Amino acid sequence: MNVKKKRHLAARAEMMLIGNFLMGIAVGFLRMSRLGTDPFTCMNLGISGALQIQFGTCQLLVNVLLFLLVFVKAKDCIGAGTIVNMTGIGYVADIIVIMFTKVVGDIALMPVAVRIVMMVGAVVLCSFAAAMYMEANMGIAVYDALAVIIERKTGSKIPFKTARVATDFVCVIVGFTFGSIVGAATVITAAFMGPLIQWFQKKIISK
């Protein structure tokens, strides 16, 4: 591998790591806003609350189960970024919540306006972070791979976007059933994250 290729690989790895780290921060702030989270986080928060285990641990366990499915059905989707994503984001989010709570106290007592700003900022950061690790092209999150599997298994009769809406809907239902907060952020992330990710990739990350 020549020097140019090594530098390119190092840059991709750096983008992947930073993107996943920022994603964990964004998820942490979405949780603290108390205005809902993205569908996958919503489900894992509900399950972790019901089982009374740490969110990061719950998300890791769910990701491991999904990883086994993706490994069998869509192995080409797996890369170093997949492993970092499935093992790190939940714990980074937990650390952010713990640190922020120690500084400001009871998050539920924060003004609604502050929580709205926090939610909007977290959605933007989440989209930027996703654009970074997706542009790095070092593997996708196992949850994202579910829609890829559905599209392939149906011969594209169910396209990726439709499949993703379906998986998001299932996650929200499961999360709500287990007592997770379904709020404005849940709807916003489902409706606007896709276009925001594409915008960041085209206007900023790819350059």
Side-chain angles (χ1 to χ4, degrees):
M1 186 181 294
N2 59 37
V3 175
K4 186 175 180 179
K5 288 184 177 180
K6 286 182 178 180
R7 287 177 177 174
H8 181 64
L9 179 60
R12 288 170 54 209
E14 184 178 356
M15 283 178 61
M16 178 271 290
L17 290 170
I18 294 174
N20 278 295
F21 180 69
L22 292 177
M23 180 68 75
I25 294 175
V27 170
F29 276 95
L30 277 177
R31 288 170 56 186
M32 289 186 294
S33 75
R34 301 290 181 90
L35 294 170
T37 58
D38 64 276
F40 189 55
T41 300
C42 175
M43 180 183 74
N44 290 327
L45 282 172
I47 295 174
S48 65
L51 298 179
Q52 295 185 340
I53 60 176
Q54 188 177 359
F55 167 74
T57 301
C58 177
Q59 182 143 306
L60 174 60
L61 293 174
V62 172
N63 276 329
V64 168
L65 293 176
L66 295 179
F67 178 84
L68 296 175
L69 174 64
V70 175
F71 186 79
V72 174
K73 300 295 185 179
K75 192 181 297 184
D76 58 300
C77 291
I78 297 174
T82 307
I83 306 302
V84 173
N85 183 282
M86 65 183 283
T87 58
I89 288 180
Y91 289 114
V92 171
D94 278 340
I95 291 170
I96 293 298
V97 172
I98 292 170
M99 290 176 60
F100 195 86
T101 302
K102 286 183 177 180
V103 173
V104 303
D106 189 352
I107 299 169
L109 299 179
M110 290 193 303
V112 175
V114 173
R115 292 192 286 123
I116 290 174
V117 171
M118 185 181 294
M119 176 197 70
V120 173
V123 171
V124 173
L125 180 60
C126 199
S127 302
F128 179 77
M132 284 193 74
Y133 81 71
M134 289 173 67
E135 188 71 20
N137 195 26
M138 299 187 74
I140 63 176
V142 288
Y143 177 67
D144 294 332
L146 292 181
V148 175
I149 293 172
I150 294 172
E151 182 179 42
R152 291 177 180 178
K153 289 299 179 181
T154 60
S156 296
K157 291 181 180 179
I158 301 178
F160 178 86
K161 289 182 179 180
T162 304
R164 181 56 185 260
V165 170
T167 56
D168 283 350
F169 181 75
V170 171
C171 285
V172 171
I173 293 299
V174 173
F176 180 76
T177 301
F178 283 102
S180 187
I181 297 174
V182 177
T186 312
V187 177
I188 291 171
T189 52
F192 295 105
M193 266 192 67
L196 274 173
I197 290 170
Q198 291 180 335
W199 187 87
F200 278 126
Q201 282 182 301
K202 182 179 179 180
K203 299 295 184 179
I204 299 177
I205 304 300
S206 62
K207 296 180 181 181

